[in-house]
Amino acid sequence: MSLDLQKLASFAKEQGFIYPGSELYEGIGGIYDYGPLGVELKRRIADLWWRAMVQLHENIVGLDAAILMHPRVWEASGHVEAFHDPLVDNKVSKKRYRVDTLIEEYAQRLEERAHKEVEKKLRKAGLPPEKAKEEVEKHKDYQRAQSLRARLAEAMAKKDWPALTALLEEEKIPCPESGSTEWTPVRQFNLMFSTHLGAVAEEAQEIYLRPETAQGIFVDFPLVLKTARLKVPFGIAQIGKAFRNEIVARQFIFRMREFEQMEMQFFVPPGTEGQWYEYWKEKRLRWHQHLGLRPEYLRFKDHEHLAHYARAATDIEFAFPFGFREIEGIHSRTDYDLSRHAQFSGKKLEYYDESQGRSYVPYVIETSAGLDRLVLAHLSHGYSEELAPTAEGGQELRTVLKLHPLLAPIQVAVFPLIRKEDFVQKARALYEELRFYFLTAYEEKDSIGRRYRRYDAKGTPFAITIDGQTLEDETVTIRDRDTLQQIRLPMAQVRAYLAEKFDVAQWLRTL
RNA sequence: GCGGGAGUAGCUCAGCCGGUAGAGCAUCAGCCUUCCAAGCUGAGGGUCGCGGGUUCGAAUCCCGUCUCCCGCUCCA
């Protein structure tokens, strides 16, 4: 775990995987661009996800919903409420809190204190505990707690942040950490990006860029159900961009403001969600493993605090250079989303189950993977510096990106051993042919060893060299990126050899 | 937002106490090379983050500002 992010970011930039966004203009925080190699890596990951989910399951269909959705969608989903937190910083402890939880917790402490004191008092006076409620309600701390709650509720309802600032000040609410009562003004943080629908400024309506792709699936659920002739259990899969105004976007492309999700919502009869949850947990872990992420780099992390709509939730975590972090979430979401949309839209979002002879709102198992996080996972997992033999018989460091062959941005490189006309001609001819089938590169500059190393760093799994012997018997060498071993093959068999190495169907069978 | 660090060529960096920019790698052109990078020749590339000040003169000193990185806070 010695690889630091700085170095990886630098490597990714230099090789053309990932660039800082808008670098020409000093950059823009938390935004990154995918360069020539990065875009290949990313779309290969996405493609293999799509094949594993949609192509391989007759009961999973694809969808590409719009980024812009009706504003009511985000009220129904709970995002408008959840993503607009008023926050405040304590000037002494430098800690940041949500104002509502800060005040609520303080009120709770006051109440507890009131209860304790009353209990003590009653015991001393030998009075029966039945008097407790009455006594507590008379207690000044209890009364203060109630008044705090009332003022909090009123200010929250009106989104009156200055009133909350005043409340903190007047009531001398202390910081749980430092006890300090010095606060910055209350500010609202909006985690959703807003924009305007409608070209005429005055008539434009404020809408949001989606903070997650899932809602597109729920909103289109009835249409998909009607047009795709599906029966539960079935799934809807989608890959697309989502946007969040993260307070701090950090750790390279791990947390970005514009990111891409690969989500699948699986609709099941209520009562069967448990087994499907287990099914998808296992299925998704396998997919990651089969793309080359070693088992010890992956783990499940169950959520301890479940969201109100969730039955169960777990994350698949990957060992990034900065620790184990989520790359995919598998959630049992009950019928919460569909029910909310039914409620907000006034339409029925039910499924008629012939086997049960009744209609119901299906339960949902969600698998939600972060595409950019997977790119980062494969880059950091594959990056390695190791000793390799040199021409002089010594050892030297080589940088190699050990990507799974199916993810390689350049699948095969073709080199003439030396830059002489007959070598070059043969190599060019092979390149011209192979490119119809594979992402192929041709390179004749520099010494052969140097070219091997250059493509090692790009993650190219195979390098083919045309040498003196090729001119005599039409055989070439194929070098393996990871083992450095070479085999010699008739040129006519190269395509078949590579086709087998890059056989997606074969890979899908292993899932 | 707070605290810390940093901004000089695509990358990694040098440039001491101020005298109008350098190295290695990379890139391009050519030479040389018969299997694991850093041989040869030549070329391109930098308003030294930006603005202001001090000075005869600033990458170098002072002030301001922006951006990036790390930590904290946040993360349905």
Side-chain angles (χ1 to χ4, degrees), chain A residues 195-456:
Chain A
T195 186
H196 299 279
L197 184 68
V200 181
E202 300 79 57
E203 293 165 17
Q205 177 185 23
E206 189 185 32
I207 57 170
Y208 297 109
L209 305 187
R210 64 181 177 201
E212 65 171 27
T213 54
Q215 297 307 324
I217 295 178
F218 296 130
V219 169
D220 284 353
F221 168 82
L223 288 171
V224 175
L225 188 59
K226 233 182 261 177
T227 54
R229 300 171 57 231
L230 292 160
K231 289 197 166 92
V232 292
F234 71 89
I236 303 176
Q238 168 162 237
I239 298 174
K241 290 261 174 116
F243 303 81
R244 288 183 199 181
N245 245 327
E246 299 290 350
I247 296 170
V248 280
R250 288 282 163 80
Q251 287 164 322
F252 196 29
I253 59 168
F254 183 79
R255 175 164 299 136
M256 295 197 290
R257 297 201 161 97
E258 174 180 343
F259 59 102
E260 201 150 357
Q261 295 183 307
M262 303 192 292
E263 291 197 316
M264 192 277 296
Q265 310 291 338
F266 201 67
F267 301 91
V268 305
T272 66
E273 66 271 16
Q275 73 198 62
W276 284 111
Y277 176 70
E278 292 304 322
Y279 172 86
W280 283 111
K281 265 179 74 171
E282 193 268 335
K283 205 75 173 161
R284 293 304 306 148
L285 181 66
R286 240 169 125 73
W287 184 85
H288 290 291
Q289 288 173 344
H290 284 227
L291 277 180
L293 299 181
R294 282 165 280 175
E296 66 270 26
Y297 277 68
L298 294 166
R299 72 177 186 197
F300 284 117
K301 179 78 181 294
D302 290 336
H303 286 204
E304 285 173 19
H305 305 290
L306 294 174
H308 53 287
Y309 53 76
R311 265 298 146 78
T314 195
D315 292 338
I316 296 175
E317 295 190 329
F318 171 79
F320 285 101
F322 42 87
F324 271 97
R325 294 295 143 82
E326 177 187 2
I327 52 173
E328 174 156 2
I330 293 125
H331 299 178
S332 181
R333 295 179 74 127
T334 70
D335 58 358
Y336 176 80
D337 298 279
L338 289 179
S339 297
R340 288 277 289 190
H341 283 301
Q343 183 190 331
F344 276 69
S345 67
K347 311 256 167 66
K348 272 198 174 167
L349 295 184
E350 292 187 347
Y351 170 81
Y352 180 73
D353 191 327
E354 284 176 328
S355 69
Q356 294 192 29
R358 68 179 184 105
S359 289
Y360 54 76
V361 179
Y363 271 36
V364 171
I365 305 298
E366 168 188 86
T367 71
S368 173
L371 179 50
D372 311 275
R373 289 181 178 184
L374 288 179
V375 170
L376 183 59
H378 278 98
L379 282 178
S380 69
H381 184 271
Y383 183 91
S384 89
E385 291 170 351
E386 55 186 36
L387 289 174
T390 65
E392 295 79 34
Q395 295 267 294
E396 205 139 42
L397 218 54
R398 76 163 179 148
T399 300
V400 52
L401 190 62
K402 296 182 173 174
L403 295 173
H404 189 285
L406 289 183
L407 297 181
I410 298 169
Q411 295 175 303
V412 54
V414 180
F415 308 139
L417 183 60
I418 54 171
R419 190 151 45 155
K420 277 194 177 147
E421 189 53 30
D422 34 2
F423 287 74
V424 168
Q425 258 182 19
K426 281 240 181 284
R428 286 296 305 178
L430 183 59
Y431 161 74
E432 300 285 353
E433 177 58 20
L434 289 180
R435 67 177 180 171
F436 288 107
Y437 305 93
F438 312 103
L439 288 162
T440 313
Y442 170 83
E443 183 75 75
E444 58 181 39
K445 259 191 283 287
D446 297 314
S447 73
I448 187 70
R450 207 172 167 131
R451 280 175 274 165
Y452 283 146
R453 296 298 168 81
R454 191 146 54 214
Y455 282 85
D456 286 343

Side-chain angles (χ1 to χ4, degrees), chain A residues 71-80 215 336-337 340-341 344:
Chain A
R72 295 269 288 162
V73 168
W74 310 112
E75 289 172 31
S77 70
H79 283 85
V80 169
Q215 297 307 324
Y336 176 80
D337 298 279
R340 288 277 289 190
H341 283 301
F344 276 69

Side-chain angles (χ1 to χ4, degrees), chain A residues 3-289:
Chain A
L3 172 65
D4 66 290
L5 264 194
Q6 196 87 2
K7 191 169 183 178
L8 190 66
S10 188
F11 169 81
K13 179 180 170 186
E14 195 167 0
Q15 294 293 338
F17 280 97
I18 295 156
Y19 306 132
S22 305
E23 200 197 41
L24 193 62
Y25 293 95
E26 303 268 287
I28 176 165
I31 310 275
Y32 289 89
D33 298 340
Y34 284 85
L37 265 46
V39 65
E40 293 289 354
L41 172 57
K42 183 173 151 187
R43 56 192 293 176
R44 297 199 123 47
I45 294 173
D47 179 60
L48 292 174
W49 182 85
W50 193 264
R51 288 180 189 284
M53 302 300 272
V54 179
Q55 181 180 340
L56 220 51
H57 290 87
E58 59 180 331
N59 59 346
I60 296 182
V61 295
L63 180 72
D64 187 6
I67 287 170
L68 304 177
M69 301 185 75
H70 191 105
R72 295 269 288 162
V73 168
W74 310 112
E75 289 172 31
S77 70
H79 283 85
V80 169
E81 200 176 343
F83 273 22
H84 288 69
D85 302 330
L87 300 178
V88 71
D89 296 300
N90 185 270
K91 289 180 182 168
V92 174
S93 68
K94 310 291 183 201
K95 296 282 173 191
R96 171 172 292 163
Y97 301 93
R98 274 176 58 171
V99 181
D100 51 341
T101 57
L102 179 71
I103 294 177
E104 174 55 37
E105 278 168 18
Y106 182 67
Q108 250 170 40
R109 282 207 303 280
L110 286 175
E111 275 187 2
E112 280 165 24
R113 199 161 69 191
H115 278 288
K116 268 187 197 154
E117 282 182 18
V118 167
E119 262 176 46
K120 219 161 131 189
K121 200 173 127 194
L122 292 181
R123 230 180 302 131
K124 269 189 183 168
L127 289 165
E130 293 84 63
K131 302 271 286 180
K133 198 175 174 227
E134 191 183 317
E135 288 291 319
V136 164
E137 280 168 9
K138 277 194 259 171
H139 196 281
K140 65 174 186 345
D141 280 343
Y142 180 85
Q143 288 176 352
R144 184 154 166 242
Q146 298 318 309
S147 125
L148 280 177
R149 286 217 174 96
R151 290 178 68 183
L152 172 65
E154 194 189 341
M156 289 295 288
K158 288 196 214 147
K159 295 188 190 292
D160 186 351
W161 310 139
L164 283 179
T165 307
L167 182 61
L168 287 177
E169 204 168 305
E170 287 162 20
E171 295 292 333
K172 301 232 179 305
I173 309 286
C175 166
E177 183 122 329
S178 65
S180 157
T181 57
E182 284 185 63
W183 299 101
T184 62
V186 173
R187 288 161 305 180
Q188 177 180 288
F189 285 66
N190 186 353
L191 280 318
M192 282 199 287
F193 277 91
S194 59
T195 186
H196 299 279
L197 184 68
V200 181
E202 300 79 57
E203 293 165 17
Q205 177 185 23
E206 189 185 32
I207 57 170
Y208 297 109
L209 305 187
R210 64 181 177 201
E212 65 171 27
T213 54
Q215 297 307 324
I217 295 178
F218 296 130
V219 169
D220 284 353
F221 168 82
L223 288 171
V224 175
L225 188 59
K226 233 182 261 177
T227 54
R229 300 171 57 231
L230 292 160
K231 289 197 166 92
V232 292
F234 71 89
I236 303 176
Q238 168 162 237
I239 298 174
K241 290 261 174 116
F243 303 81
R244 288 183 199 181
N245 245 327
E246 299 290 350
I247 296 170
V248 280
R250 288 282 163 80
Q251 287 164 322
F252 196 29
I253 59 168
F254 183 79
R255 175 164 299 136
M256 295 197 290
R257 297 201 161 97
E258 174 180 343
F259 59 102
E260 201 150 357
Q261 295 183 307
M262 303 192 292
E263 291 197 316
M264 192 277 296
Q265 310 291 338
F266 201 67
F267 301 91
V268 305
T272 66
E273 66 271 16
Q275 73 198 62
W276 284 111
Y277 176 70
E278 292 304 322
Y279 172 86
W280 283 111
K281 265 179 74 171
E282 193 268 335
K283 205 75 173 161
R284 293 304 306 148
L285 181 66
R286 240 169 125 73
W287 184 85
H288 290 291
Q289 288 173 344

